[in-house]
Structure formats: C-alpha cells, structure tokens
Amino acid sequence: MRFFNQVSLSTPESVELEFTLAGIGSRALAVFVDYVILTLILSLFWFVWAVFGIGLLDSLGDSGNYSAAPTWLLAIAILVNFVLAWGYFIYFEVLWRGQTPGKRIAKIRVVRDDGRPVKLPQATLRSLLRTIDDLLFIGAIMITLGKREKRIGDWVAGTIVIQDERGDRGQKIYISEAGKRLAAELPNLADLSQLLPDDYAVIREYLLRRGKMADTARKDKSLELARQLRHLIAMESIPDNTVADHFLEAVYVAYQERTGTERVLARDYGDLDRPRDIE
C-alpha cells in the first residue's frame, strides 16, 4: 500500500522524473514552523518600532505641529509588516530553491510543474495567495482532496510541493572515472558558457534519480538528454566509446568546476560501461 502520492513530472528536456508529494502532514508542520518564526520576527519588529515611535514622539514634543506623526508611524509600520509577512516566504523560497525554514525542517520543497526550481514570479504568487488559502482552511481542504495536493497558490503559480529526497546540498553524486576524464576535456571541446543553472539542475536531478528508473527508461532518457545537451553546448564530436550517462556526468562535473558548485565523489557504474551512440 502506498501512503504517499507519487507524481511524474516531465522536464522541458523530456526527462521524466518521479517525485513523492509532500502530503498535508508535512506541509502543516512546515507552515506551523514558518508561522512561529514569522510571528517572532513581527513581534520583534513591532516592539522595536513602538520603542522607536515613542522615543520619536517624545523628542518632537511641542516643537511643532506633528499631530499627524502617530498616523504616519502606524501606516509605515503596517506597510513594513506587510512586506515582512509576504516577503518571508518569497525570500526563502527563491534563495533556498523552494524551501523555507519550515519546509527544510519538514524535508519538503516547492518546485515548478516541470520539476525546475521556483523563481521569483512563482514564489510571489504563492505568497500573495496564502491569505486566501488560509481563509477557512481552504488550502488544507484542497491539498487533502486534490490528486496533486495543490492549494490555490500552487495552481495559480504552477507549482507542486514534494518531499525533498535530495537531502542537503552535501549529498553525493557518484561519477564514473570515464565521466571524470571526459569532464577534463570538455572545456576544450564545447562551449560550457551556454549552460544555465536550470540546465545544471535538470542534469543533477537525473543523476540523483537514475538509480530508481527502469533500465530501458533510464537509457532512453539519458540518450535523449545527452543529445540535447550536446547541441546546447555546441560540441561537434564525441570521444569514441562514450556512454550517454558518462557524457551527462562529464557535463555535470565540468559545470561544477566552471562555477565552483558542490564537489562529488568518483565511482564506476558497472552497468553503464557499454558504449552507446550519442550522435
């Protein structure tokens, strides 16, 4: 019996990845933690602002006509409160690639419907619509009853909340020796400047999840993704006896070396050593 819903997302590169939906329990935990943190932040702000406002009004005293000062102080405080309340989720989901402190504790993550990381537009829409979702627990009801467990903010922003099976940024991806050797040659064979962070994210997702894919599906998708990447980086020729997975590993490592992203360990994949044409 499955206790969590599974969803398959097809990336723009036609790589199909399977994720486990976060579920109402994990999302409720994340929201609770985030609201506790946000309440502390807002409480601290109002305390500091009250001390500042009282001090300011006392210093003004009877030196002039400042009868409107309290109203302006309150208006500014409400505006800052709004920015903090909605900006909290926007800031963390963009900066932490779909996670807030609460989501990180609950080990869940927001991604776009195609599996890519959320950006500012998606995070903004989700945050602005959170008030409607919280009203009368509308969001919780939609998550519980919906097949894809989406609240209103998710439907409008085109996002989905999944379990973060990748773990932290220190999770290792094992790279074959063939992939490492090719990675050392890639800067002289291709234009790696054409690779964007989203391209890297797709390669990383595939390398992380390939062990869970059926052999036929993995080979087909790795070949298709390798062909698209080869054209993207304008690589005219491929070394003989190159396996599609080794090529993807090489691009992954070469991108890391070029941008200084996370380090990896090396290990051979015995079942991937059979040459496959990626022309």
Side-chain angles (χ1 to χ4, degrees):
M1 178 180 293
R2 274 184 164 172
F3 294 95
F4 299 98
N5 289 333
Q6 303 285 327
V7 61
S8 294
L9 304 180
S10 181
T11 71
E13 291 79 9
S14 300
V15 177
E16 188 169 331
L17 302 173
E18 186 174 84
F19 297 92
T20 301
L21 295 177
I24 187 64
S26 297
R27 295 183 69 165
L29 172 61
V31 168
F32 174 77
V33 173
D34 284 329
Y35 279 173
V36 168
I37 295 174
L38 186 56
T39 299
L40 293 175
I41 293 174
L42 294 177
S43 298
L44 178 60
F45 162 71
W46 279 101
F47 173 77
V48 172
W49 191 256
V51 173
F52 167 77
I54 293 173
L56 178 62
L57 293 176
D58 286 342
S59 65
L60 293 176
D62 298 327
S63 59
N65 183 16
Y66 296 104
S67 59
T71 302
W72 278 105
L73 288 172
L74 179 60
I76 294 173
I78 293 175
L79 177 62
V80 174
N81 185 95
F82 175 87
V83 173
L84 290 174
W86 275 266
Y88 171 90
F89 294 96
I90 298 172
Y91 174 81
F92 281 110
E93 287 185 358
V94 173
L95 184 67
W96 286 5
R97 297 174 64 83
Q99 287 190 311
T100 59
K103 289 184 178 66
R104 181 164 291 187
I105 291 174
K107 294 182 172 59
I108 61 178
R109 181 183 301 273
V110 181
V111 297
R112 283 186 272 177
D113 284 339
D114 60 3
R116 292 178 180 267
V118 293
K119 295 294 182 68
L120 182 61
Q122 293 82 31
T124 301
L125 285 172
R126 296 186 81 255
S127 182
L128 292 177
L129 291 170
R130 184 173 294 276
T131 301
I132 298 177
D133 282 311
D134 290 346
L135 183 65
L136 300 178
F137 301 101
I138 293 175
I141 294 173
M142 294 184 65
I143 292 170
T144 303
L145 300 180
K147 185 177 180 180
R148 293 174 69 88
E149 300 181 1
K150 289 189 173 195
R151 62 180 177 87
I152 295 175
D154 289 316
W155 284 110
V156 175
T159 58
I160 196 167
V161 183
I162 61 172
Q163 291 187 8
D164 187 28
E165 299 175 359
R166 296 182 302 175
D168 58 24
R169 291 180 66 86
Q171 182 177 352
K172 308 300 182 184
I173 293 179
Y174 292 94
I175 304 299
S176 66
E177 290 298 330
K180 292 184 66 179
R181 288 194 297 269
L182 180 56
E185 303 174 12
L186 274 183
N188 299 322
L189 300 175
D191 183 9
L192 297 178
S193 65
Q194 297 301 314
L195 288 174
L196 300 177
D198 279 357
D199 301 318
Y200 169 79
V202 171
I203 300 172
R204 186 177 190 274
E205 284 293 340
Y206 169 76
L207 294 178
L208 279 169
R209 299 178 180 277
R210 60 182 170 179
K212 299 179 181 180
M213 300 173 66
D215 289 343
T216 301
R218 187 196 69 205
K219 292 173 183 176
D220 290 344
K221 292 305 179 182
S222 66
L223 181 59
E224 184 175 358
L225 182 56
R227 284 172 173 167
Q228 293 179 4
L229 283 172
R230 179 192 170 185
H231 291 296
L232 178 65
I233 62 178
M235 190 169 181
E236 295 184 358
S237 62
I238 299 292
D240 294 336
N241 299 325
T242 298
V243 180
D245 271 63
H246 292 168
F247 176 71
L248 297 178
E249 293 168 358
V251 175
Y252 173 80
V253 174
Y255 183 90
Q256 290 178 334
E257 294 296 329
R258 181 175 178 274
T259 60
T261 52
E262 61 207 289
R263 302 176 68 85
V264 295
L265 300 179
R267 186 183 71 184
D268 282 326
Y269 278 87
D271 62 334
L272 298 180
D273 290 337
R274 184 169 64 258
R276 302 187 72 233
D277 178 20
I278 60 174
E279 296 294 331

